[in-house]
Amino acid sequence: MKALVLAAGTGSRLRPVTHTGAKQLVPVANRPVLFYALEALAAARITEVGVVIGPRADDIKESVGDGSDFGLDVTYICQEEPLGLAHAVLVSQEFLGDDDFLMYLGDNFVGGGVAHFADEFRRQRPAAQILLTPVADPTSFGVAELDAEGRVVSLEEKPRTPRSDLAVMGVYLFTSAIHDGIREIKPSARGELEITHAIQWLIEEGRDVRSTVSTGYWRDTGNVADMLDVNRHVLDSLVADHAAVGEVDDDSVLIGQVRVAPGARVVRSRIVGPVVIGSGSVVVGSRIGPHTSIAEDCEITGSDIESSIVLLGSTVRDVPAITASLIGRHTSVRSARAGGNHHLVLGDHTRITLAS
């Protein structure tokens, strides 16, 4: 079995952060969300991976390389325009050949990985197998209708009147039969080749299309709220690595699961975990509250940050209350004087001064 990881999306819902970087590389717990997907594929005993990228995705190539750091053999496939998930499969035909494959949306996070789903597919080998999960508002997703045996009866993309509450997650498993479906479908009203339409074609042709309903943790990290939620989820499973702790002075207090990377310094500060602080970062006279990730080479001085993600090389000075925020790379946030809570989504290289 091969894998196809889709990483060509522009990340419009995460702007302005994604104006200058790929959304799949925005970190949660100081690691790009794409890396969790690649590790999940390696754990599922899949080694040949095609990564579908856009024409300006050199940062993904640089971060992932040839895949050897993950135990993978990575091939890059360029999708010139974002014309749908089925189009991504279409442009990957040479890489996929006639092999079975698992398709994983690179900005999705699946708690517990995908190994058990891949093993189930290997045993049964239906034409297609999709992962589903109950959601409160199915109108924002592809929605599946199942029969009594769990086979998929119909699929509908973002229906106004959903036939179930089962949303299609960002993980699909296919035999080469899916290529027949993709060749038969036409672009949707939004001009894209929809993978749900290709799967629906398989259903109408009498092919075996099955589902697995998951009640585990899953998020599409395409917006800030879900990105912060994944960060919170990953940090909740954090185990403090006391054998690899940076410099923490005697006037600082670390409570709970806190990971201070080698090369980081904490001075006269209170860190309440779960928290990760990246190498080269300095925290002085500050409180870092639960569910916060501070990347490498940041400076946090005289500030209070909680439930937030601070990206590479950023500076926060004298800001009394930052919460539920995503602060881009090499960004400077300063406060002229004390004020209330601040909720920020800041792109890379931003300079902002806050005043009450």
Side-chain angles (χ1 to χ4, degrees):
M1 183 187 294
K2 292 178 179 176
L4 196 64
V5 177
L6 306 193
T10 58
S12 58
R13 291 178 294 162
L14 278 172
R15 291 173 182 164
V17 172
T18 50
H19 277 309
T20 51
K23 66 175 179 176
Q24 298 84 7
L25 296 181
V26 176
V28 292
N30 283 0
R31 301 187 70 247
V33 67
L34 177 61
F35 287 12
Y36 296 96
L38 297 175
E39 289 174 345
L41 295 174
R45 296 181 290 114
I46 300 172
T47 57
E48 292 183 75
V49 177
V51 177
V52 179
I53 57 175
R56 297 193 301 269
D58 290 342
D59 47 354
I60 290 179
K61 289 184 177 180
E62 182 179 350
S63 296
V64 176
D66 62 3
S68 57
D69 287 349
F70 304 92
L72 305 174
D73 180 8
V74 167
T75 298
Y76 292 99
I77 303 157
C78 187
Q79 185 183 23
E80 293 291 340
E81 297 182 75
L83 297 178
L85 304 188
H87 181 262
V89 177
L90 187 65
V91 301
S92 304
Q93 177 70 72
E94 182 178 350
F95 166 77
L96 294 170
D98 292 327
D99 293 317
D100 298 350
F101 67 99
L102 184 154
M103 184 167 76
Y104 197 128
L105 305 192
D107 59 353
N108 276 223
F109 183 92
V110 181
V114 296
H116 46 307
F117 303 121
D119 288 342
E120 181 181 355
F121 179 81
R122 288 182 176 107
R123 289 193 301 269
Q124 300 176 350
R125 290 199 73 243
Q129 181 175 332
I130 58 177
L131 271 62
L132 306 173
T133 190
V135 295
D137 180 15
T139 60
S140 300
F141 300 91
V143 176
E145 180 184 9
L146 308 182
D147 65 15
E149 296 181 351
R151 287 183 171 82
V152 183
V153 175
S154 69
L155 281 175
E156 191 173 2
E157 190 67 30
K158 297 180 174 63
R160 292 184 178 180
T161 307
R163 298 179 183 179
S164 79
D165 66 347
L166 295 175
V168 180
M169 297 166 58
V171 179
Y172 310 76
L173 299 110
F174 298 115
T175 67
S176 60
I178 193 63
H179 302 303
D180 297 333
I182 292 173
R183 283 190 289 268
E184 293 296 328
I185 63 173
K186 305 297 182 185
S188 65
R190 58 180 184 170
E192 297 188 0
L193 290 176
E194 310 283 0
I195 198 67
T196 50
H197 292 178
I199 299 171
Q200 182 65 35
W201 183 89
L202 292 176
I203 295 169
E204 293 169 357
E205 289 294 308
R207 309 289 183 93
D208 187 9
V209 177
R210 303 189 185 186
S211 66
T212 300
V213 178
S214 172
T215 57
Y217 184 85
W218 165 73
R219 288 291 184 278
D220 171 355
T221 62
N223 61 56
V224 173
D226 286 333
M227 183 70 71
L228 293 173
D229 194 78
V230 173
N231 190 62
R232 184 179 302 112
H233 174 82
V234 175
L235 288 176
D236 277 336
S237 62
L238 179 71
V239 176
D241 187 357
H242 297 291
V245 171
E247 181 183 339
V248 179
D249 76 348
D250 293 338
D251 294 324
S252 295
V253 177
L254 275 57
I255 300 172
Q257 302 301 316
V258 176
R259 184 171 295 170
V260 181
R265 291 195 299 123
V266 177
V267 181
R268 301 189 312 279
S269 295
R270 181 180 178 87
I271 316 296
V272 182
V275 166
V276 292
I277 300 173
S279 178
S281 288
V282 179
V283 178
V284 180
S286 298
R287 175 190 175 272
I288 309 300
H291 303 117
T292 299
S293 299
I294 298 172
E296 296 82 3
D297 300 324
C298 293
E299 179 189 335
I300 313 296
T301 304
S303 299
D304 190 318
I305 304 176
E306 184 170 326
S307 299
S308 296
I309 299 174
V310 182
L311 301 188
L312 175 72
S314 291
T315 299
V316 179
R317 292 181 182 171
D318 304 318
V319 183
I322 293 177
T323 185
S325 297
L326 175 57
I327 298 175
R329 301 167 186 85
H330 304 290
T331 290
S332 175
V333 183
R334 301 166 185 256
S335 181
R337 53 186 181 273
N341 288 343
H342 302 293
H343 303 273
L344 307 171
V345 180
L346 302 177
D348 296 354
H349 300 283
T350 299
R351 299 290 181 266
I352 182 171
T353 300
L354 301 169
S356 58

